[in-house]
Amino acid sequence: MLKGRHLIDPMDFSLEEIEEIFKLADQIILNPESYIHSCDGKILATLFYEPSTRTRLSFEAAMLRLGGKVIGFSEPSSSSVAKGESISDTIRTIACYADIAVMRHPKEGAPRVASMYSDIPLINAGDGGHQHPTQTLTDLLTIKSKKKNLSNLTIGLCGDLKFGRTAHSLIKAMSRYKNNKFILISPKELKVPDYIRREVLEKNNIEFVEVERLEDVIGMVDILYMTRVQRERFFNEEDYIRLKDSYILDGEKMKNANDEMIILHPLPRVNEISYEVDNDPRACYFGQAKYGMYVRMALIAKMLGVK
Ligand code: NCD
């Protein structure tokens, strides 16, 4: 039962529960008209303390397409946060107005803390450089739709694996399916955090390698997950400038990739994928953004327990 639960970490839901969400998402994709009144009379609150395009707007679009309404803020400076209100007081208040809430916050763990004070289901829409579980639902649904399953895959994650929360959540989630392998491609300074290496990969005996050159491994992956260097999490601008263009996926590099490989990217893209790659049939990142809306429709419906 997903009704009334929070979603803070990709491991909060069992594989069966995730499957349930995907099943509903597939039904919504096939028959969206049947769901236009599913959330009549319900309100979603979006509490965004950090910039967002896709996550916030796909949640809002999802709720509107289910017949519900949306309230919220996308700029903490326009809410009482600017007056010094605590996150626990904010969520207690929002719970009086809305039926479900989505929170993005620059501090790792903030949505977890908020969930402890929340009487309504709360969804983590990204907490600092930590986790981003609904991007992961988006990624999994895209992979499942394109590859027909979530096991026996070699997943290459490339870019900022240190601060990239979407990469952390995807590694956690894909480690739960059988026989997946990881190729982690990053500069030395931007390798995955220790807790991912130890507690997720090593602890579960997952096969993985850490490399620096994309060209050497591009032909070995079924999925190439490109990520942006997370400028806002760097301590100094010089490091960012030095590392920002570590990887640029272009037509030349794509020549060595296999025909069935798919390219994903949570977006926004900065320089890491050349525009020429967009026309390659293996580029799936815009389709991925669309799956994100459908999977959030299914998630909201399940967490609210509507028919
Ligand atoms: C990602 C995020 O916010 O972590 N964006 C998203 O939600 N689609 C990736 C990023 O900002 O680089």
Side-chain angles (χ1 to χ4, degrees):
M1 264 285 271
L2 292 167
K3 185 179 175 187
R5 300 255 298 274
H6 302 303
L7 174 58
I8 307 299
D9 186 277
M11 309 302 263
D12 286 349
F13 293 172
S14 68
L15 293 183
E16 294 71 33
E17 288 165 339
I18 290 172
E19 207 42 53
E20 231 184 88
I21 295 169
F22 292 161
K23 228 166 119 187
L24 178 56
D26 285 339
Q27 284 164 6
I28 295 173
I29 291 170
L30 286 177
N31 215 347
E33 320 76 53
S34 308
Y35 298 88
I36 55 175
H37 294 298
S38 297
C39 286
D40 277 355
K42 301 284 186 197
I43 295 179
L44 166 84
T46 53
L47 318 175
F48 277 67
Y49 296 79
E50 242 192 14
S52 171
T53 300
R54 272 147 295 268
T55 305
R56 184 170 61 84
L57 296 183
S58 66
F59 264 115
E60 296 193 2
M63 190 53 161
L64 296 174
R65 284 179 188 270
L66 292 169
K69 293 196 164 53
V70 182
I71 57 172
F73 56 83
S74 53
E75 270 289 336
S77 57
S78 68
S79 76
S80 278
V81 178
K83 301 179 185 171
E85 185 171 56
S86 69
I87 209 156
S88 54
D89 284 3
T90 302
I91 193 70
R92 276 176 172 157
T93 310
I94 299 296
C96 304
Y97 308 148
D99 302 286
I100 184 166
V102 182
M103 177 183 284
R104 168 170 288 188
H105 203 285
K107 284 213 181 87
E108 286 81 10
R112 167 79 66 206
V113 172
S115 72
M116 293 170 183
Y117 295 91
S118 179
D119 290 335
I120 57 172
L122 179 69
I123 299 168
N124 175 10
D127 60 328
H130 190 220
Q131 299 293 329
H132 193 346
T134 66
Q135 180 63 47
T136 298
L137 289 175
T138 302
D139 302 340
L140 296 188
L141 182 61
T142 311
I143 294 170
K144 193 167 181 249
S145 305
K146 302 279 171 195
K147 289 281 176 196
K148 306 293 167 229
N149 67 63
L150 291 164
S151 324
N152 304 310
L153 295 165
T154 300
I155 305 128
L157 293 105
C158 178
D160 185 348
L161 306 185
K162 178 179 182 188
F163 296 117
R165 56 195 174 196
T166 61
H168 304 160
S169 287
L170 185 62
I171 294 171
K172 267 190 164 182
M174 287 302 278
S175 292
R176 300 214 276 178
Y177 297 91
K178 282 205 190 78
N179 202 28
N180 285 332
K181 300 185 187 90
F182 295 92
I183 302 185
L184 305 175
I185 310 148
S186 75
K188 276 194 198 69
E189 293 94 327
L190 298 178
K191 283 163 78 166
V192 289
D194 260 1
Y195 82 92
I196 295 285
R197 193 177 306 106
R198 284 208 211 106
E199 288 162 41
V200 181
L201 297 168
E202 290 172 358
K203 193 168 157 189
N204 297 302
N205 292 316
I206 312 282
E207 213 179 302
F208 74 99
V209 286
E210 297 183 278
V211 301
E212 279 183 60
R213 282 169 51 86
L214 173 59
E215 329 29 1
D216 296 346
V217 294
I218 194 164
M220 294 156 69
V221 301
D222 301 306
I223 295 155
L224 180 60
Y225 196 87
M226 295 297 294
T227 64
R228 165 182 77 91
V229 176
Q230 306 276 301
R231 178 180 206 160
E232 65 275 34
R233 317 233 184 268
F234 275 70
F235 294 111
N236 69 67
E237 186 73 2
E238 279 153 49
D239 286 349
Y240 170 71
I241 290 169
R242 186 167 48 83
L243 293 168
K244 72 181 172 67
D245 292 327
S246 299
Y247 302 101
I248 299 177
L249 181 63
D250 55 15
E252 197 50 41
K253 290 198 186 80
M254 284 301 292
K255 286 186 188 155
N256 295 321
N258 66 52
D259 291 346
E260 273 78 50
M261 183 260 250
I262 59 169
I263 311 164
L264 302 183
H265 191 311
L267 304 177
R269 136 176 72 183
V270 186
N271 270 337
E272 56 283 352
I273 303 179
S274 301
Y275 282 82
E276 63 181 1
V277 177
D278 295 358
N279 298 324
D280 190 303
R282 294 167 286 186
C284 297
Y285 27 92
F286 289 108
Q288 186 183 355
K290 193 156 190 183
Y291 282 115
M293 180 184 72
Y294 289 120
V295 89
R296 288 177 173 108
M297 288 174 79
L299 180 67
I300 293 169
K302 287 283 176 190
M303 290 174 81
L304 286 175
V306 297
K307 288 272 170 298

